[in-house]
Amino acid sequence: MEKNRSQTEQRLINAVEELIIEKGFEKLGIRAVAEKAGVDKTLIYR
């Protein structure tokens, strides 16, 4: 389980980095991060 969590965290971090590069920090949103990382947005809130 810990491995999956680490992988998911890394996917989220990568998604945030890519979105900031693509669109800028001001346009960063939870839904976009979740979609880019391939996770449900409610996961981010947990």
Side-chain angles (χ1 to χ4, degrees):
M1 178 101 130
E2 187 63 34
K3 184 176 181 182
N4 289 339
R5 180 184 176 136
S6 295
Q7 289 174 346
T8 301
E9 288 174 352
Q10 191 58 54
R11 285 199 331 257
L12 288 167
I13 291 167
N14 292 343
V16 169
E17 289 175 353
E18 290 174 20
L19 287 168
I20 289 173
I21 291 168
E22 292 171 10
K23 299 181 181 191
F25 181 76
E26 296 79 21
K27 303 237 182 198
L28 187 64
I30 296 296
R31 182 179 296 154
V33 172
E35 287 176 10
K36 188 97 166 158
V39 299
D40 189 84
K41 71 178 183 175
T42 56
L43 179 74
I44 295 173
Y45 292 109
R46 287 196 274 157

